């Protein structure tokens, strides 16, 4: 589900942003050690696949939406740390360019 802006308090948005940024920093460090250069295009295709799956939204109560993610497939192919980066990239693109979820709630959506 994508959490829109204004759905969570600003304090919660800030806390979740800090937590998600910390986890993504750890994920980037671990991914740089484990992901080979030849697998970067495959990760890009996997992130694009996740992005495509997330564009098919189903409305649910309380003004938000639910959808498939595809992060499990990335985790199977690359491991959980690399999958976290791939799905986060898809979430950032959706929030900025398509208004799916909120910019302030991005940390909560990534988490």
């Amino acid at each position: 589900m994508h959490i829109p802006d204004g759905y969570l308090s600003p304090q919660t948005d800030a806390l979740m942003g800090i937590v998600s940024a910390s986890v993504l920093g750890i994920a980037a460090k671990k991914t740089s050690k484990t992901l080979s250069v030849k697998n970067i295009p495959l990760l890009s295709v996997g992130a694009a696949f996740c992005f495509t799956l997330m564009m098919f939204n189903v409305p649910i109560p309380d003004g938000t939406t639910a959808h498939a993610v595809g992060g499990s497939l990335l985790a199977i192919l690359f491991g959980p740390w690399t999958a976290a980066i791939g799905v986060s990239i898809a979430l950032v693109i959706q929030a900025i360019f398509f208004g799916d979820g909120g910019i302030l709630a991005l940390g909560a959506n990534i988490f």
Side-chain angles (χ1 to χ4, degrees), residues 7-44:
Y7 197 76
L8 300 173
S9 70
Q11 295 85 1
T12 304
D13 286 338
L15 178 65
M16 295 306 291
I18 292 168
V19 169
S20 294
S22 301
V23 170
L24 288 176
I26 294 168
K29 187 178 288 188
K30 292 189 182 243
T31 297
S32 69
K33 293 178 184 176
T34 60
L35 185 68
S36 67
V37 174
K38 69 177 188 167
N39 285 333
I40 291 174
L42 185 58
L43 174 61
S44 301

Side-chain angles (χ1 to χ4, degrees), residues 2-110:
H2 289 283
I3 302 169
D5 280 336
Y7 197 76
L8 300 173
S9 70
Q11 295 85 1
T12 304
D13 286 338
L15 178 65
M16 295 306 291
I18 292 168
V19 169
S20 294
S22 301
V23 170
L24 288 176
I26 294 168
K29 187 178 288 188
K30 292 189 182 243
T31 297
S32 69
K33 293 178 184 176
T34 60
L35 185 68
S36 67
V37 174
K38 69 177 188 167
N39 285 333
I40 291 174
L42 185 58
L43 174 61
S44 301
V45 170
F49 177 71
C50 290
F51 172 79
T52 304
L53 279 178
M54 284 191 262
M55 289 305 290
F56 296 104
N57 294 323
V58 177
I60 60 174
D62 290 334
T64 190
T65 59
H67 55 79
V69 176
S72 300
L73 178 62
L74 286 179
I76 290 169
L77 291 173
F78 300 108
W81 296 109
T82 307
I85 292 173
V87 172
S88 296
I89 291 168
L91 285 169
V92 168
I93 291 170
Q94 281 187 323
I96 293 173
F97 295 110
F98 296 97
D100 232 357
I103 302 292
L104 296 176
L106 194 56
N109 283 322
I110 289 172

